[in-house]
Amino acid sequence: MRCNWKILLVCIFSIVFFLLRAETKFYYFDSKKTKITFPFRLFNNILVVDVKVNKTKTLKFIFDSGCKSTIIIHPKWLDSFDIPYKQKVYFSGLGFKDSVETMKIDNGTLQVGELKGEHIPIFILSKDSLSIENYLGTDVDGIFGAEIFEKYYVHISYKKRLIELYSKKPEKKLNASFQKMAVDIRKSKGYLSCMVMNNKKELFLSELLLDTGSNVPVIIKNKDPADLHIDHFIDAEIGEGLSGPIYSRVCRIKRIFIDTLKFDSVVTVFNETPISFRDLNENTLDGNIGNDIMNRLDLYFAYPEKAIYFRPNSTIKDPFYFNISNIILLENKSKNGGFIVKSIAGNSPPLLAGLQKGDEIIKIDYYSCDGLKLEDALTLLNKRIGRKITLHYRRNNVISKISYKLVSII
């Protein structure tokens, strides 16, 4: 029997297409709707969503427009899923380490509300080296990556604690009160061209990543305040990235211009990164815009058309504050039930009052730390500027007491 080569070719093409399609990663709505919503919780100005992984475990993920990949940060989940991992992959990010090792799962499934993803690469850290809960006050299992931003129109309502995804442009929502601004899309992430002004009214061109995984207003990478002719700054630990704790110089920028918007006296963090992901003109600043700016806007990420739509909300003129307590805590698992001081910002009120790294805080004002959640302890420490706070702490089995007023040190 003779074989028709055309039919054979079609069959081979169909098989190859099917195999490629089976491996292609994609997201879709688990309904016929053109819009879906799902809630998020806000911890220390970071968005956290519930994500079901491989139809088995529902984990807590940071909703992060600044990270392309989906990453699980605790290796305890490595053997919890049916799909075997295939290879080791190394990531570099903000922090002091050069890179971190992950194990890659090629065909993961993810579900956030009515959003489903199939054949999604998932990366799981090989070592339990991140302690994000010390900064957020809640346990977090991973990072939900930015890939959905290229496919959908994304609206984050900070007031309602809701994320809205649109499969088509929401024309009726984006009325004349919204302004449109072009965004440069690189690896599913969006960058804005902005201008930064120092106290001498010198202007610096900046390309800043829109980063919902950052709780500070602005991060400038691989530069020092002196490069922008800024004299006053503090040294502080500001959080934890993929590559470990982030130690930075923190100061205030006189003004930042984003299109027609201007933000005054903006808390800005200068941070070194282990590698440079692309070559920039040496006169262009590279960095991130975090939630403390984005939550002042009604903001639609319109990456399918390489743009954002925005309008200011009622908080646009609110002042910027940096970690009012100036303290980062570690949860203490000892019988004392207190919280260990991991770090204190330089020249801050608690440091000047006598608190030291390694001290165990056992009482905050009138509240005993025994049985207190880390989230509640951080809330008590971060009162309003100008309020007085009293701490009881243990050092070398001796209990001491200090009181000080919360002031802005930058």
Side-chain angles (χ1 to χ4, degrees):
M1 187 172 100
R2 295 177 64 186
C3 178
N4 188 310
W5 67 271
K6 290 184 179 179
I7 295 176
L8 179 61
L9 187 61
V10 169
C11 291
I12 292 172
F13 179 82
S14 299
I15 293 170
V16 171
F17 178 82
F18 174 80
L19 290 174
L20 289 173
R21 180 76 176 94
E23 294 298 322
T24 301
K25 55 189 175 183
F26 65 99
Y27 284 96
Y28 62 94
F29 291 174
D30 189 24
S31 66
K32 294 182 180 180
K33 301 176 182 177
T34 59
K35 169 194 172 184
I36 64 170
T37 65
F38 50 87
F40 67 86
R41 285 157 288 171
L42 204 61
F43 296 95
N44 195 18
N45 223 7
I46 293 292
L47 287 64
V48 177
V49 297
D50 290 330
V51 180
K52 180 175 271 191
V53 182
N54 284 1
K55 302 177 182 179
T56 55
K57 303 285 186 181
T58 298
L59 307 180
K60 291 194 291 187
F61 281 64
I62 294 172
F63 189 76
D64 192 350
S65 64
C67 179
K68 176 176 168 53
S69 304
T70 294
I71 301 170
I72 295 176
I73 64 175
H74 297 307
K76 65 181 180 181
W77 301 116
L78 195 58
D79 299 320
S80 298
F81 309 115
D82 296 332
I83 300 175
Y85 56 83
K86 290 188 176 181
Q87 65 185 100
K88 293 181 181 180
V89 177
Y90 293 86
F91 280 82
S92 291
L94 296 179
F96 72 91
K97 301 174 186 175
D98 289 334
S99 63
V100 292
E101 180 185 274
T102 70
M103 308 306 295
K104 181 184 178 185
I105 294 175
D106 281 328
N107 287 296
T109 63
L110 300 172
Q111 182 171 357
V112 189
E114 293 181 286
L115 174 71
K116 284 189 174 181
E118 296 184 4
H119 308 297
I120 307 298
I122 301 174
F123 303 87
I124 304 180
L125 263 62
S126 301
K127 295 181 180 180
D128 204 350
S129 56
L130 288 184
S131 303
I132 297 177
E133 64 272 10
N134 298 326
Y135 308 93
L136 301 189
T138 188
D139 291 330
V140 171
D141 300 298
I143 299 167
F144 186 73
E147 289 179 321
I148 64 167
F149 283 79
E150 276 191 298
K151 182 173 183 179
Y152 300 109
Y153 288 77
V154 182
H155 178 229
I156 299 176
S157 175
Y158 290 89
K159 184 177 180 180
K160 295 181 180 179
R161 303 288 194 269
L162 284 176
I163 295 169
E164 301 172 340
L165 301 185
Y166 297 85
S167 59
K168 299 179 181 179
K169 182 178 179 178
E171 299 280 1
K172 293 182 179 180
K173 297 282 187 180
L174 299 174
N175 55 42
S177 64
F178 281 88
Q179 295 174 251
K180 182 180 179 180
M181 184 177 180
V183 174
D184 185 17
I185 305 298
R186 299 193 289 271
K187 296 183 178 179
S188 303
K189 298 178 288 186
Y191 294 78
L192 294 180
S193 291
C194 312
M195 295 298 292
V196 171
M197 177 190 287
N198 64 13
N199 287 328
K200 298 179 180 179
K201 296 186 177 181
E202 297 170 321
L203 292 172
F204 300 84
L205 179 63
S206 310
E207 292 190 7
L208 303 181
L209 167 67
L210 288 162
D211 187 3
T212 61
S214 173
N215 64 345
V216 297
V218 173
I219 295 175
I220 293 177
K221 296 187 291 187
N222 299 322
K223 294 288 184 181
D224 193 84
D227 296 322
L228 273 66
H229 309 142
I230 297 170
D231 299 324
H232 180 60
F233 60 85
I234 63 168
D235 294 307
E237 180 179 344
I238 65 164
E240 186 138 352
L242 281 178
S243 300
I246 303 173
Y247 302 98
S248 306
R249 289 184 165 177
V250 186
C251 67
R252 287 187 181 271
I253 295 292
K254 179 178 177 62
R255 186 167 294 158
I256 291 178
F257 298 91
I258 301 175
D259 200 69
T260 59
L261 297 173
K262 61 180 181 179
F263 299 90
D264 292 330
S265 192
V266 181
V267 172
T268 302
V269 170
F270 287 77
N271 201 86
E272 293 294 325
T273 57
I275 61 174
S276 178
F277 292 96
R278 70 182 194 90
D279 292 326
L280 283 173
N281 183 303
E282 63 178 8
N283 295 318
T284 301
L285 303 180
D286 186 22
N288 304 47
I289 294 175
N291 287 316
D292 205 15
I293 281 184
M294 290 188 287
N295 64 15
R296 297 158 192 260
L297 306 173
D298 191 0
L299 177 63
Y300 284 79
F301 297 81
Y303 290 1
E305 57 180 287
K306 297 183 179 180
I308 60 170
Y309 291 85
F310 65 91
R311 63 183 178 189
N313 62 32
S314 60
T315 66
I316 190 71
K317 296 294 185 181
D318 286 358
F320 293 94
Y321 294 116
F322 169 72
N323 184 10
I324 296 171
S325 74
N326 299 291
I327 300 171
I328 291 178
L329 296 177
L330 284 172
E331 194 161 13
N332 184 17
K333 303 300 182 181
S334 72
K335 63 181 180 180
N336 298 325
F339 297 96
I340 301 298
V341 176
K342 184 175 186 289
S343 68
I344 313 174
N347 296 320
S348 64
L351 185 69
L352 297 176
L355 196 67
Q356 296 180 10
K357 177 180 177 181
D359 289 345
E360 181 184 10
I361 297 176
I362 58 176
K363 193 174 182 180
I364 305 172
D365 286 335
Y366 304 104
Y367 297 91
S368 172
C369 292
D370 187 19
L372 197 65
K373 293 181 180 179
L374 183 59
E375 177 186 353
D376 297 327
L378 292 174
T379 299
L380 291 172
L381 286 172
N382 283 278
K383 290 181 174 181
R384 292 194 304 272
I385 293 291
R387 299 289 295 274
K388 184 180 178 181
I389 192 167
T390 300
L391 302 179
H392 288 79
Y393 63 92
R394 179 182 284 107
R395 182 190 303 161
N396 298 326
N397 294 320
V398 177
I399 296 176
S400 302
K401 172 185 172 182
I402 57 171
S403 295
Y404 56 89
K405 182 184 288 188
L406 290 170
V407 298
S408 178
I409 60 174
I410 58 170

